[in-house]
């Protein structure tokens, strides 16, 4: 099934917010569907969902259940108005709950989504939510990637992975990294012991799309909380992340369950060249978990 070129949750102008009570789009135990498409004209505007009293829950797009696999979410404006510059946020921008091997975005500027203005940008939750791929999206900026339009309400932030293993955020190929910046809260969170073997590579976390200007998240850039065996960066070309200009620490590895994580090959506190200071407000790396 294909869902293309709709306004879901907004008025016909794409600038007002009547909203749906829960989800804008729900994929429930269904596989190989596409929300949006390979060009921007096929993308949907999906905003203001789950925000109506007394519900105040729900997502722009929710992908739910182990049977919901192989779905693609591409080229959508999720949480903004039709211009991609104003906030008409959902509660969750995208919520993947116990659903494996789905694709959010693709190459930046080609199939990536704008996921901004939501209470929480992208959440991947549950032990069955394994092997999802998130690439080429702007998460917390406007459509240009240069101005803040953050997700979060003090703690939610950009990307939240809880108890979900083996997901990929970003990549090493050109354009596959995400911009995860300007969020009111954390840039990216990995939480609880089943959030293991996730790979975070090639992203700009706290800068604009050029990797040269500060656009920090209000709390930590990357926060690993009781999660183990994850990789932030790598040794191959373009595997490292730029993690800079964030309001607290660049990377935090916290609590006794946060073990076996690898932070490697990143630029933490500089621009993408490594030559210009864009320091995080507190530490570059703050470590209190064992055996990392």
């Amino acid at each position: 099934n294909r869902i293309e070129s709709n306004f879901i949750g907004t008025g016909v102008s794409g600038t007002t917010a009547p909203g749906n009570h829960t989800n804008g789009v729900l994929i429930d135990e269904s596989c190989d569907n596409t929300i949006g498409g390979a060009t921007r004209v096929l993308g949907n505007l999906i905003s203001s969902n789950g925000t109506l009293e007394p519900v105040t829950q729900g997502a722009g797009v929710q992908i739910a259940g182990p049977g919901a696999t192989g779905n693609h979410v591409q080229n959508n404006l999720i949480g903004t108005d039709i211009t991609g510059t104003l906030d008409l946020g959902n509660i969750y921008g995208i919520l993947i709950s116990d659903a494996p091997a789905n694709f959010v975005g693709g190459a930046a500027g080609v199939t990536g989504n704008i996921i901004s203005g939501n209470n929480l940008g992208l959440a991947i939750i549950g032990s069955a939510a394994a092997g999802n791929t998130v690439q080429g999206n702007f998460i917390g900026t406007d459509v240009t990637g240069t101005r803040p339009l953050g997700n979060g309400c003090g703690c939610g932030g950009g990307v939240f992975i809880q108890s979900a293993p083996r997901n990929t955020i970003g990549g090493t190929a050109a354009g596959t990294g995400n911009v995860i910046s300007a969020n009111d809260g954390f840039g990216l969170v990995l939480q609880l012991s089943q959030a293991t073997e996730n790979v975070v590579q090639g992203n700009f976390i706290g800068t604009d799309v050029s990797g040269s200007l500060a656009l920090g998240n209000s709390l930590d850039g990357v926060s690993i909380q009781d999660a183990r065996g994850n990789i932030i960066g790598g040794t191959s070309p373009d595997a490292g992340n730029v993690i800079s200009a964030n309001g607290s620490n660049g990377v935090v590895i916290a609590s006794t369950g946060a073990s076996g994580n690898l932070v490697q090959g990143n630029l933490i506190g500089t621009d993408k060249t490594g030559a210009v200071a864009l320091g995080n407000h507190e530490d570059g790396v703050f470590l209190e978990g064992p055996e990392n």
Side-chain angles (χ1 to χ4, degrees):
N1 300 292
R2 305 185 68 87
I3 299 177
E4 299 173 346
S5 305
N6 302 283
F7 290 2
I8 303 174
T10 76
V12 68
S13 68
T15 60
T16 60
N20 296 290
H21 271 271
T22 51
N23 299 297
V25 178
L26 172 62
I27 299 175
D28 187 5
E29 296 281 8
S30 179
C31 65
D32 299 324
N33 304 286
T34 300
I35 311 303
T39 63
R40 186 65 73 187
V41 72
L42 297 177
N44 304 280
L45 173 63
I46 308 173
S47 297
S48 302
N49 299 291
T51 61
L52 301 180
E53 296 289 351
V55 179
T56 61
Q57 60 184 0
V61 178
Q62 183 176 3
I63 304 173
T69 185
N71 298 289
H72 289 75
V73 182
Q74 298 177 326
N75 265 320
N76 302 285
L77 297 171
I78 302 176
T80 77
D81 75 335
I82 190 60
T83 69
T85 62
L86 298 175
D87 179 346
L88 293 180
N90 307 282
I91 295 298
Y92 293 93
I94 299 175
L95 173 59
I96 299 174
S97 51
D98 278 319
N102 297 285
F103 301 88
V104 177
V110 180
T111 52
N113 304 279
I114 311 302
I115 308 170
S116 299
N118 307 286
N119 281 16
L120 199 157
L122 168 68
I124 303 174
I125 296 175
S127 60
N132 296 287
T133 301
V134 179
Q135 294 181 327
N137 303 285
F138 291 176
I139 304 175
T141 76
D142 74 351
V143 69
T144 69
T146 63
R147 298 184 182 92
L149 193 60
N151 302 286
C153 50
C155 60
V159 178
F160 180 76
I161 299 175
Q162 183 184 73
S163 300
R166 299 185 303 282
N167 297 285
T168 299
I169 309 299
T172 58
T176 56
N178 304 280
V179 178
I180 308 173
S181 299
N183 295 291
D184 185 14
F186 300 103
L188 182 144
V189 173
L190 298 165
Q191 187 178 80
L192 302 182
S193 61
Q194 289 176 302
T196 185
E197 298 179 54
N198 295 286
V199 177
V200 179
Q201 293 182 328
N203 303 285
F204 291 164
I205 303 176
T207 76
D208 73 339
V209 67
S210 73
S212 59
L213 298 176
L215 210 61
N217 301 287
S218 69
L219 297 177
D220 303 317
V222 176
S223 180
I224 300 175
Q225 306 167 1
D226 268 323
R228 55 188 175 81
N230 300 286
I231 297 174
I232 311 299
T235 59
S236 64
D238 301 315
N241 305 278
V242 177
I243 308 173
S244 300
N246 296 290
S248 188
N249 305 284
V251 178
V252 170
I253 302 177
S255 301
T256 56
S259 64
N261 298 289
L262 178 64
V263 179
Q264 189 174 47
N266 304 285
L267 295 168
I268 303 176
T270 76
D271 73 345
K272 70 174 183 180
T273 70
V276 177
L278 294 177
N280 298 288
H281 186 69
E282 297 184 16
D283 297 309
V285 178
F286 182 85
L287 179 63
E288 59 180 10
E291 300 179 8
N292 297 284

